[in-house]
Amino acid sequence: MLKKNVLKVVMLFAILAMVLSACGNAAKPAATQAAVAPTEAAAAKPFGQASCAPNCGYKDLVLCFPQLGAESDWRTADTASFKDEAAKDGFTLVFSDAQQKQENQISAVRACIQQGVSVIALPPVVEDGWDAVLTEAFNAGIPVIIVDRSVSADPSLYVSHIGSDMELEGKRAAEEFNKKFPDGAKILELSGTTGSGAAVGRAKGFREALNANIEIIDSQTGNFTRAEAVPVMQAFLQKYKPGVDFQGIFIHNDDMGLGAIEALKAAGVNPGDLFIVSVDGTRGGFQAMVDGWFQADVECNPLLAPQVVEMALKIMNGQPVDKNVLTDETVYYPENAAELLPTRKY
Ligand code: AHR
């Protein structure tokens, strides 16, 4: 009798378990299960992948390039690199010139978001102040590649950065001074645009690598332009006697270097009597080395468009890309400047 009752209880539990299990499945109808799949698929879709993926080509690409300005020969070459690439490949380039004003660049990015471009390639004039507009691009599903200079915004707001290692450029410049002045020296610095990734990085790298016995007695900005460098150099010459108070100048770009040379010559100073190291490696910089005014020119390559366009297509096609792509660069010297000058592309 007891055995029979135990069997009944066991069977009751078994039936209850089957009913509960059936109810569980009923709570997940086929339609609900099917609805989960696309959501998961959408979440797995790489950010920025376009509807033409995996076959997106140049004809599908609308590339927004809100250029920061036209302050230097470097910048002119950088702009030409993007325009030439668009003409060669046949993608649509949405170009604007912000005249070195961040507010103009932000407006240009917003216009590109409104237009629904495929990718934004942003060369930021300064490092700070991009969070809001990058968030807007992110929320609109438009991938941003930071080009040339860096931003301080959270890296999750942009897909990648392609450009130079500005700190390394500063370090390379410092090594030239260390080699030239093993017993120490006093030098000046003509810096780039205040708050720009290029000026901040070069100043940092320079100071990190400069020997302790070399003193930077003054540092002023020439905003990366030849015109603005002239009065800065003139003001330096009012305060400091060349060869006595300072022996060298670290100049953050070739255009400012040429402005400084102009001011030195006008003041009756032979620039070749000082140790001048510049950055960029433009034709103007090479000519200054041929003429004996620059003693070294640290390369900063502006021809970035081919890499940017290749990456833009990868993003559109849903392919992975590197977060930081640094340009391979070197240092140029007067010894072979004349030979290399005709081969320079910018
Ligand atoms: O960001 C790159 C710098 O910007 C270049 O050194 C300079 O020439 C330009 O204006």
Side-chain angles (χ1 to χ4, degrees):
M1 181 69 187
L2 186 70
K3 242 185 182 178
K4 256 188 184 173
N5 277 344
V6 170
L7 204 66
K8 262 186 194 165
V9 171
V10 169
M11 278 175 73
L12 258 171
F13 270 109
I15 289 164
L16 197 66
M18 278 167 71
V19 169
L20 280 177
S21 151
C23 285
N25 280 342
K28 263 192 213 161
T32 312
Q33 285 171 352
V36 169
T39 314
E40 276 166 3
K45 190 181 135 192
F47 180 76
Q49 179 178 298
S51 53
C52 48
N55 298 311
C56 301
Y58 295 123
K59 65 179 183 341
D60 304 298
L61 172 63
V62 179
L63 183 71
C64 170
F65 184 55
Q67 180 59 288
L68 68 86
E71 75 285 1
S72 62
D73 284 354
W74 188 101
R75 191 65 53 197
T76 306
D78 185 50
T79 293
S81 165
F82 279 85
K83 289 187 173 172
D84 292 352
E85 200 66 15
K88 178 169 76 74
D89 300 334
F91 65 85
T92 303
L93 182 71
V94 182
F95 178 84
S96 51
D97 177 347
Q99 297 176 345
Q100 292 235 71
K101 291 194 176 73
Q102 186 178 30
E103 62 268 30
N104 292 348
Q105 271 197 302
I106 290 175
S107 301
V109 172
R110 290 208 166 110
C112 285
I113 296 171
Q114 279 270 305
Q115 195 183 327
V117 299
S118 340
V119 176
I120 297 170
L122 172 66
V125 63
V126 288
E127 284 189 306
D128 297 342
W130 296 102
D131 305 66
V133 79
L134 287 178
T135 304
E136 288 165 38
F138 185 83
N139 290 339
I142 299 177
V144 175
I145 304 171
I146 303 295
V147 178
D148 161 29
R149 302 176 186 175
S150 50
V151 289
S152 59
D154 192 301
S156 64
L157 294 175
Y158 56 89
V159 178
S160 181
H161 167 254
I162 297 180
S164 302
D165 185 336
M166 306 295 185
E167 279 188 42
L168 181 60
E169 290 173 355
K171 283 185 177 140
R172 285 179 168 156
E175 278 156 20
E176 298 306 319
F177 286 92
N178 294 343
K179 274 190 274 173
K180 173 70 184 173
F181 300 112
D183 299 327
K186 292 190 191 309
I187 62 169
L188 296 169
E189 179 181 42
L190 228 168
S191 159
T193 301
T194 306
S196 68
V200 171
R202 286 171 192 166
K204 183 170 182 276
F206 189 71
R207 281 156 181 75
E208 275 172 13
L210 197 65
N211 284 348
N213 59 2
I214 302 177
E215 187 191 347
I216 306 166
I217 59 167
D218 206 341
S219 174
Q220 300 294 332
T221 179
N223 204 20
F224 281 129
T225 73
R226 181 172 181 155
E228 286 168 89
V230 174
V232 176
M233 194 65 235
Q234 286 169 339
F236 277 152
L237 292 174
Q238 295 287 316
K239 281 168 80 179
Y240 311 107
K241 204 170 161 28
V244 179
D245 296 326
F246 69 99
Q247 290 77 43
I249 320 171
F250 169 41
I251 305 183
H252 283 212
N253 84 340
D254 287 348
D255 287 73
M256 293 193 298
L258 299 181
I261 284 167
E262 204 179 303
L264 286 165
K265 283 190 193 165
V269 180
N270 177 9
D273 290 344
L274 294 162
F275 189 75
I276 298 178
V277 176
S278 181
V279 184
D280 276 356
T282 59
R283 285 196 201 99
F286 269 72
Q287 188 59 56
M289 287 195 283
V290 172
D291 293 341
W293 312 143
F294 290 178
Q295 308 313 322
D297 204 352
V298 179
E299 185 186 23
C300 180
N301 192 339
L303 309 177
L304 300 169
Q307 280 168 284
V308 171
V309 171
E310 192 190 324
M311 182 180 281
L313 285 181
K314 275 189 174 175
I315 296 166
M316 288 175 75
N317 280 316
Q319 293 166 14
V321 297
D322 290 334
K323 193 75 191 186
N324 197 20
V325 180
L326 295 175
T327 316
D328 196 18
E329 293 165 342
T330 185
V331 182
Y332 297 108
Y333 298 97
E335 290 71 54
N336 53 0
E339 184 195 332
L340 291 177
L341 181 52
T343 69
R344 298 301 294 161
K345 293 198 176 72
Y346 57 96

